């Protein structure tokens, strides 16, 4: 059953497993890396909000076919899911952004650019999952309203991909980004280059407003109702990615104001393709798989108070570093 | 001996489990392959020896709360808790699509009581597209039934015997490595009339999240699988295959053809790939290729010629 309701059946892009050459793998903020991979098939078919499932190992990610198994890395065993941050369809590359939070991501951060089938290539599976649904009502001059993108920490990644798609469709959008401190902010310039206004919040006040990104969202939604007389902005959709407590707060605000809201979720994941039922979240229709029924869900369908959603990758990235995968932010909102 | 100019004959990979003819000895393990749909995006399911579908119960089961997964060194823990749509939904919604693939489909079944097992077995017996039953007496993740049955030879005998008397189809009993004496359990299944036994199910395990000071799984404990369990599984396959006269389906951490050959040389007639599919979606096919190329390279004509090879040492 499709609990997305309004959403048409996916024109689903067929996932592929490829050993993708690493074009670049650069630390863009403390412990945060941006990796660019040559993956023409995935670059061509991926949709905003989809992810790739990545073998995280620095000792070569390829296995020789046949009976011998040299080169097969079994520890860490599971792939790690990362949201696609950007696709360059002409250059046939995809960008991933990840934070080093465990052994797998630590190994991934050491992979240097190289060639397919050799060191310097990464075994990836994708594109996977159901991404953001961009309603037609958002586009054009007679749009029902603007879009509001809300990101916490690494949650910026899928929203950058989404921002490119929104810009292509001439959707007007505002962006709110939160992080613990100024040095952990990244990707802001990409939103701005697309012509979207970005508002910032940091926990320590080192950039933008001091506090949580959800406070920015609350103010914007009040303004959009014409809080102080002037009807300023009307939001017709919210797209959010970040730690679960942030998403819960955004979902509540959106619900109160009647603004449709889509959230990208994370949960410990094994197969990534929908087979193992490991990564479920509690929805109004029962448990649903983050990897195949999500990672993007309608916020109104999610029970944010369920056990699994107080998710914290903690000191390990064991099969858990989903697209948002941000231990700092998750802890930040635990208080 | 190899002769120049003469191509080596194509080895015969076919094996037989009960009345099921498999084109090769490689199956996919229950709970790791859903109902086949997900992995059909990566390859033609007809390349497999058989598909064992996600464990079924009489009525739909919601499963355990998340987190359900934790990674371990060269392995993983799961506590899915037999989430499944129930046997009727399987027959109505999943089986018609599966029947479209020409591959034997084995239904894995669980129950809370003996009567549950008998009822679900009877419901599936003779249903077009169901080639056989795998009786799960060994799930570690549900409160009652499952593992409790699998640890006691008398219960395994009783459940196997009861199903055998009620159905005509092939009956495979899936064994728990958590039993004190897995050979005794296997013999109980054989006496009860099982056509084959499969092993191992997951080993009960636990991971503590030290940052948070609590179990990593919401269910506290879960089933350990992946390459880390393989030596245990190979040892148990060896013991069981020497202890019973019915075919053994070996599994536990198989990712490559070499891994599978260990089980066959330990006495398994067929093998299953489980967690390996999560890491490499085409793992089961790579295992088929690995077995085939080994047989060509070493000149083995049939799987049976390899079975139990290590016993002769």
């Amino acid at each position: 059953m499709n609990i997305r309701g309004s959403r048409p059946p996916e024109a689903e892009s067929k996932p592929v497993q490829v050993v993708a050459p690493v074009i670049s793998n650069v630390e863009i903020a403390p412990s945060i890396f941006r990796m660019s991979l040559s993956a023409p098939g995935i670059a061509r078919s991926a949709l905003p909000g989809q992810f790739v499932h990545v073998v995280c190992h620095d000792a070569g990610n390829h296995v020789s076919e046949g009976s011998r198994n040299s080169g097969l890395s079994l520890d860490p065993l599971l792939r790690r899911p990362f949201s696609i941050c950007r696709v360059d369809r002409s250059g046939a590359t995809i960008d991933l952004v990840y934070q080093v939070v465990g052994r797998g991501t630590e190994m991934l951060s050491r992979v240097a650019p190289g060639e397919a089938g050799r060191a310097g290539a990464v075994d990836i599976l994708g594109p996977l999952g159901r991404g953001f649904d961009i309603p037609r009502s958002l586009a054009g001059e007679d749009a029902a309203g603007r879009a509001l993108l809300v990101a916490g920490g690494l949650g910026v990644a899928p929203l950058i991909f989404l921002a490119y798609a929104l810009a292509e469709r001439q959707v007007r959008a505002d962006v709110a980004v939160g992080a613990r401190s100024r040095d952990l902010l990244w990707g802001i310039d990409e939103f701005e280059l697309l012509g979207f206004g970005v508002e910032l919040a940091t926990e320590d006040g080192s950039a933008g407003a001091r506090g949580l990104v959800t406070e920015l969202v609350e103010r914007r939604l009040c303004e959009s109702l014409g809080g102080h007389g002037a009807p300023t902005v009307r939001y017709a959709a919210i797209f959010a990615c970040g730690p679960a407590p942030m998403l819960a707060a955004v979902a509540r605000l959106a619900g109160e104001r009647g603004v449709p809201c889509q959230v990208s979720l994370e949960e410990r994941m094994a197969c990534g393709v929908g087979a193992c039922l490991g990564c479920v979240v509690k929805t109004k229709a029962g448990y649903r798989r983050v990897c195949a029924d999500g990672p993007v869900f309608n916020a109104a369908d999610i029970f944010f108070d369920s056990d699994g959603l107080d998710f914290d990758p903690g000191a390990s990235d064991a099969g858990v570093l989903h697209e948002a995968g941000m231990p700092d932010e998750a802890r930040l909102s635990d208080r | 001996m190899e002769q120049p100019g003469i191509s080596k004959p194509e080895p015969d990979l076919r094996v037989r489990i009960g009345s099921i003819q498999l084109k090769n000895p490689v199956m996919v393990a229950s709970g790791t392959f859903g109902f086949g749909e997900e992995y059909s995006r990566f390859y033609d399911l007809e390349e497999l020896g058989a598909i064992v579908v996600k464990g079924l119960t009489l009525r739909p089961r919601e499963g355990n709360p998340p987190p359900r997964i934790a990674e371990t060194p060269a392995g993983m823990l799961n506590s899915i808790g037999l989430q499944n749509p129930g046997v009727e939904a399987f027959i109505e919604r999943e089986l018609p699509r599966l029947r479209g693939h020409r591959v034997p489909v084995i239904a894995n079944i669980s129950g809370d009581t003996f009567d549950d097992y008998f009822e679900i077995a009877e419901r599936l017996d003779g249903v077009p597209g169901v080639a056989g039953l795998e009786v799960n007496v060994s799930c570690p993740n549900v409160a009652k039934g499952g593992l409790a049955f699998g640890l006691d030879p008398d219960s395994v005998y009783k459940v196997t015997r009861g199903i055998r008397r009620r159905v005509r189809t092939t009956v495979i009993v899936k064994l728990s490595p958590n039993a004190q004496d897995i050979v005794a359990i296997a013999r109980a299944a054989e006496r009860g009339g099982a056509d084959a036994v499969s092993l191992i199910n997951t080993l009960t395990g636990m991971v503590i999240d030290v940052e948070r000071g609590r179990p990593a799984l919401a269910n506290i404990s879960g089933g350990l699988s992946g390459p880390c369990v393989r030596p245990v599984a190979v040892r148990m396959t060896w013991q069981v295959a020497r202890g019973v006269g019915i075919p053994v389906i070996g599994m536990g951490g198989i990712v490559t053809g070499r891994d599978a050959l260990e089980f066959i040389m330990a006495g398994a007639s067929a093998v299953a790939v489980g967690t390996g599919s999560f890491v490499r979606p085409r793992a089961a096919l790579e295992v088929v290729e690995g077995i085939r190329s080994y047989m060509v390279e070493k000149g083995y004509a049939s799987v049976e010629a390899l079975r139990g090879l290590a016993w002769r040492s």
Side-chain angles (χ1 to χ4, degrees):
Chain A
M1 183 176 112
N2 172 22
I3 62 158
R4 300 289 291 275
S6 63
R7 195 151 197 239
E10 191 84 25
E12 200 173 271
S13 39
K14 200 176 157 123
V16 291
Q17 181 192 356
V18 292
V19 179
V22 176
I23 308 296
S24 63
N25 189 15
V26 181
E27 190 165 16
I28 56 172
S31 294
I32 298 175
F33 287 74
R34 184 162 183 153
M35 176 179 262
S36 193
L37 296 161
S38 173
I42 296 173
R44 205 162 38 239
S45 63
L47 300 168
Q50 288 191 301
F51 67 95
V52 289
H53 216 20
V54 180
V55 174
C56 291
H57 207 278
D58 54 359
N61 290 290
H62 51 285
V63 59
S64 53
E65 298 292 322
S67 61
R68 295 177 203 281
N69 63 358
S70 58
L72 178 62
S73 66
L74 298 178
D75 192 32
L77 180 68
L78 299 173
R79 291 169 183 266
R80 271 69 168 141
F82 302 110
S83 269
I84 298 169
C85 174
R86 191 186 171 184
V87 303
D88 178 344
R89 299 202 202 270
S90 58
T93 62
I94 63 169
D95 287 8
L96 312 176
V97 174
Y98 60 94
Q99 186 164 21
V100 174
V101 293
R103 261 185 82 226
T105 42
E106 209 276 315
M107 288 174 138
L108 194 64
S109 74
R110 289 202 301 262
V111 178
E115 295 165 32
R118 301 190 181 168
V122 175
D123 183 329
I124 61 175
L125 183 62
L128 296 169
R130 299 164 60 99
F132 293 105
D133 176 28
I134 305 174
R136 268 169 214 218
S137 60
L138 278 179
E141 284 304 308
D142 53 346
R146 299 167 75 88
L148 179 60
L149 278 54
V150 187
L154 280 200
V156 167
L159 296 182
I160 286 179
F161 190 0
L162 176 68
Y164 279 97
L166 293 177
E168 262 172 35
R169 290 166 173 76
Q170 275 101 46
V171 174
R172 287 171 304 159
D174 301 308
V175 184
V177 178
R180 202 174 46 186
S181 61
R182 180 189 195 94
D183 61 337
L184 294 172
L185 286 167
W186 60 276
I188 310 303
D189 52 337
E190 275 176 281
F191 291 120
E192 288 174 343
L193 280 173
L194 291 167
F196 299 139
V198 182
E199 219 180 342
L200 305 173
T202 51
E203 199 187 355
D204 63 1
S206 54
R210 180 190 294 269
L212 299 174
V213 68
T214 47
E215 292 158 22
L216 302 181
V217 174
E218 186 160 19
R219 214 171 53 234
R220 287 208 160 259
L221 290 180
C222 286
E223 279 173 9
S224 77
L225 291 177
H228 293 288
T232 47
V233 195
R234 181 182 149 69
Y235 288 108
I238 297 174
F239 303 93
C241 186
M246 181 203 101
L247 295 179
V250 173
R252 183 177 47 77
L253 292 167
E256 286 167 6
R257 305 296 195 283
V259 183
C261 178
Q262 296 173 42
V263 291
S264 180
L265 302 180
E266 60 184 351
E267 183 49 72
R268 286 160 206 274
M269 195 179 283
C271 74
V273 300
C276 75
L277 309 181
C279 63
V280 298
V281 290
K282 190 89 168 177
T283 74
K284 288 183 178 164
Y287 287 127
R288 286 292 178 270
R289 303 161 298 180
V290 168
C291 70
D293 301 311
V296 178
F297 293 89
N298 283 327
D301 293 330
I302 302 298
F303 289 114
F304 280 99
D305 55 352
S306 71
D307 277 353
L309 276 168
D310 63 342
F311 175 87
D312 179 2
S316 152
D317 61 1
V320 303
L321 193 73
H322 183 217
E323 80 277 5
M326 37 165 108
D328 298 314
E329 289 287 313
R331 261 183 231 120
L332 177 151
S333 26
D334 272 356
R335 61 186 182 179
Chain B
M1 285 295 104
E2 191 174 354
Q3 291 174 39
I6 298 177
S7 63
K8 292 175 179 175
E10 180 68 10
D12 183 2
L13 267 71
R14 291 175 302 170
V15 297
R16 198 174 183 81
I17 303 291
S19 58
I20 310 171
Q21 180 72 52
L22 286 70
K23 69 194 291 187
N24 63 59
V26 182
M27 318 182 359
V28 284
S30 179
T32 65
F33 211 74
F35 298 109
E37 187 175 11
E38 290 80 13
Y39 285 102
S40 70
R41 296 183 293 171
F42 295 98
Y43 60 85
D44 185 347
L45 301 182
E46 292 172 21
E47 298 295 316
L48 294 168
I51 293 174
V52 188
V53 298
K54 173 70 186 162
L56 299 166
T57 49
L58 276 175
R59 277 160 287 283
R61 234 191 251 237
E62 191 181 37
N64 290 330
R68 293 176 169 184
I69 298 287
E71 195 177 47
T72 67
M76 62 176 280
L77 282 182
N78 86 80
S79 64
I80 309 300
L82 286 178
Q83 178 181 332
N84 81 95
V87 67
E88 294 304 328
F90 166 72
I91 292 169
E92 282 167 33
R93 297 209 299 261
E94 306 292 346
L95 204 50
R97 184 179 42 73
L98 272 169
R99 270 198 296 266
H101 303 277
R102 280 172 307 175
V103 59
V105 172
I106 295 167
N108 179 287
I109 57 171
S110 283
D112 289 337
T113 64
F114 287 109
D115 285 340
D116 282 356
Y117 279 100
F118 301 156
E119 193 180 337
I120 192 170
E122 284 184 308
R123 179 66 186 91
L124 286 162
D125 187 33
V127 171
V130 178
L133 302 175
E134 182 180 62
V135 185
N136 180 5
V137 292
S138 50
C139 181
N141 291 324
V142 289
K144 46 183 179 172
L147 188 56
F149 279 102
L151 301 184
D152 170 34
D154 292 340
S155 298
V156 170
Y157 171 78
K158 200 174 157 193
V159 77
T160 309
R161 185 87 191 132
I163 291 172
R164 177 75 287 160
R165 285 180 168 168
R166 287 170 172 84
V167 305
R168 298 169 59 96
T169 191
T170 296
V171 176
I172 302 161
V173 176
K174 186 162 184 178
L175 308 179
S176 170
N178 303 303
Q180 197 157 30
D181 179 357
I182 196 170
V183 178
I185 306 282
R187 286 185 176 137
E190 183 178 31
R191 265 189 299 119
D195 296 293
V197 290
S198 54
L199 68 149
I200 60 173
N201 204 320
T202 54
L203 284 147
T204 309
M206 228 176 127
V207 168
I208 306 280
D209 177 341
V210 170
E211 285 299 310
R212 303 187 137 198
R214 66 188 202 195
L217 299 177
N219 191 49
I220 299 176
S221 67
L224 183 65
S225 66
C228 62
V229 308
R230 196 169 65 234
V232 177
V234 170
R235 184 265 293 178
M236 289 183 167
T237 298
W238 170 290
Q239 290 177 318
V240 169
R242 289 163 75 101
V244 297
I246 52 178
V248 172
I249 302 160
M251 69 193 82
I254 295 175
V255 185
T256 70
R258 295 239 149 192
D259 303 340
L261 286 163
E262 283 197 51
F263 284 86
I264 293 169
M265 290 180 186
S269 298
V271 296
V273 175
T275 301
S277 296
F278 302 165
V279 186
R280 304 184 60 79
R282 297 167 52 86
L285 293 200
E286 291 164 3
V287 168
V288 175
E289 265 329 292
I291 294 171
R292 178 182 284 124
S293 64
Y294 181 89
M295 290 171 72
V296 169
E297 185 188 328
K298 304 281 186 181
Y300 288 100
S302 71
V303 175
E304 190 55 31
L306 277 168
R307 194 180 75 79
L309 189 70
W311 299 348
R312 293 166 220 166
S313 58

